[in-house]
Amino acid sequence: MPTDHRHSRALCAAILGATAALPSALAQTAQLSDQTASAGLTAIHTTDPGGGLRSMSGGIAVGDFNRDGWQDVFVLGGPHAPDKLYINNHDGTFTDRATQWGVARTHWGFALAVGDFNNDGWPDVYITSAGTDSLHCHHLLYVNNGNGTFTDVAATAGVQSTTPLGFDGFGAAWGDYDLDGDLDLAVAGYQYGSGGNKLFRNNGNGTFTDATSSLGYNLQNIPSFSPRFIDMDGDRYPELLWVADFHSSKYFVNNRNGTFTEATAAAGVGLDANGMGMAIGDFDNDGRPDWFVTSIFTTLGPYQVVPGSGNMLYLNQGNHHFTQAASIAGVGQSGWGWGAVAADFRNIGRQDIAATNGWDDPGYGTQFLADPTCVFQNNGNGTFANVAPACGVTHSGQGRGMVEFDYNNDGRPDLLIASNGGPLTLYRNDTPPAPGGSNWLRIFLNTRASHGIAPDGYGAHVVVTAGPAVQHRWISGGSNYLSQSELSAHFGLGAAPVASQIRVEWPDGSVTLRANIPANRTITLSPCPGDWNAGGELNVQDIFDFLNDWFAGGGDFDASGTSSIQDIFDFLNAWFAGC
């Protein structure tokens, strides 16, 4: 099994080679500022004393719940305060609309997952919860009615409980593991013997079937926190990553027939002693998704590190093989780790890592009480530097959930942290342009005009070429730790003013191409060629929009690099052919 020291020279050489094509930029530190109060995000999470499961809660999620093009925030309140639904006001502020939307429920909520499970075009929310009595599971599945209200259908859908033995339920993740076009659900459970780890297959009629046995592995005694569906080998079928405590994280390879094979040891992963949260990103820009796992960093004495202690950075070598590089990369130590995200905070073509930390159980001493949140900035040579204080991130509370999202639509990823028993903290990204340039593209996917592809592009692989650099992102949703970030593909383009090509590889094997897209804009793409404006349906407006783009020089329908009369004919043929 690979280790840091055994493979350090080969690994560094590989990383340096993979990052050589990155756009050059002078050294610069991201700049973020605390805007929690000015944004109106006043929620304070509640908990009860005593440590244990109580100290592990604190989830948040973002999504465009009213489909107005701005990201909203769903916050769990804990056992003594109602949940909050902060709707984005488009001016850098939010207003809590939980009561109006019917979600101002007081219960012991743990985690959230956002996904349009019923394919009606509106993002729904699954919440793991201990209910109001903390004795039985009362998980929630809020259907978004599309009119500013939610309705809980967890009981009729068959996902209200994951165990008959009391409460169990931590992180949850949506994903289309059987590629039938609807979202399936993975739910992590922590309690030994409860059977709370579940895989639910979407039946396509508003109900789910327990398909846990298709994993081919008994998860009953795995104390789990964070699941995620993502295609790790490029065959379109998503693997299931399962982050868990006490050396029990798992890696399930998708067999493409509705079943999985547990391949943790063979893949060289699962080395984390206390896996909790995760982030997915192409940290070495080699076109393959890498896997960052948060864990506790502890020592037996002043010089001896507990085996498996600390965060893990699994660099994808292809064909389900990984090399663990956290220590070499400088991201192994962040205290008692929980939520994590990957984001290019400087828009220069390198994904950074942010991770939040803390533990206030008195039984473990005081060393973790004020663990500061870390911002590991990607140096572009296989290493990272923790620049949190220098970039303005001073959070040292009991961080649990963490999400990245662009709440003010300015193209710079922002950061939101939820604390157990404490307030939210919103960091706005104020990073000035780098000397070499800080251009960007932010891409959303709309699949409503096409059948057989999961909503919002879950499972899609987005590739952007700008200048000499080729960058890769994956739409995977999933649990960062009790939380979920924005469902978009964000690219920092550095000095490049134009993306010469955008390539979207959809889960059904189809491909969408766009050429010569100007930088510094948010765009939405559809797998349906005739749905030019990605509105989710074919209508005459698509023709008008295409012609406007064509006359402006952007109607390169065949992505040949130039616009011509043939592009108009090809587009009209595609429009009349339908989807």
Side-chain angles (χ1 to χ4, degrees), residues 254-268:
N254 195 320
N255 297 326
R256 311 181 204 178
N257 61 2
T259 70
F260 294 81
T261 296
E262 191 273 321
T264 311

Side-chain angles (χ1 to χ4, degrees), residues 92-119:
T93 70
F94 297 81
T95 299
D96 178 23
R97 303 291 186 191
T99 299
Q100 295 94 317
W101 284 63
V103 295
R105 183 179 302 205
T106 299
H107 63 117
W108 202 310
F110 277 73
L112 308 96
V114 177
D116 179 13
F117 85 93
N118 59 358
N119 270 310

Side-chain angles (χ1 to χ4, degrees), residues 283-284 346 350-352 376-385:
F283 300 114
D284 51 9
R346 296 167 292 170
R350 304 173 191 163
Q351 284 189 289
D352 310 307
F376 296 111
Q377 191 163 278
N378 192 329
N379 295 323
N381 61 359
T383 68
F384 295 75

Side-chain angles (χ1 to χ4, degrees), residues 432-561:
S438 299
N439 296 312
W440 55 273
L441 272 179
R442 180 175 172 231
I443 301 172
F444 289 91
L445 305 179
N446 186 346
T447 61
R448 290 211 66 204
S450 298
H451 301 291
I453 302 178
D456 296 301
Y458 260 95
H461 177 195
V462 186
V463 186
V464 165
T465 301
V470 180
Q471 297 182 62
H472 300 252
R473 303 288 184 266
W474 295 264
I475 306 297
S476 65
S479 177
N480 307 328
Y481 174 78
L482 309 182
S483 303
Q484 182 175 314
S485 292
E486 177 180 295
L487 278 171
S488 70
H490 170 267
F491 297 85
L493 304 184
V498 172
S500 57
Q501 185 183 87
I502 299 174
R503 178 184 176 91
V504 182
E505 299 173 358
W506 303 94
D508 68 347
S510 62
V511 173
T512 294
L513 295 175
R514 291 287 187 271
N516 299 321
I517 304 299
N520 303 323
R521 62 182 58 192
T522 296
I523 64 174
T524 303
L525 299 177
S526 166
C528 175
D531 184 18
W532 183 255
N533 59 22
E537 60 182 3
L538 292 182
N539 55 40
V540 70
Q541 189 62 47
D542 291 300
I543 297 177
F544 293 146
D545 289 343
F546 174 78
L547 291 175
N548 285 334
D549 286 345
W550 189 87
F551 282 112
D556 183 12
F557 184 73
D558 59 6
S560 63

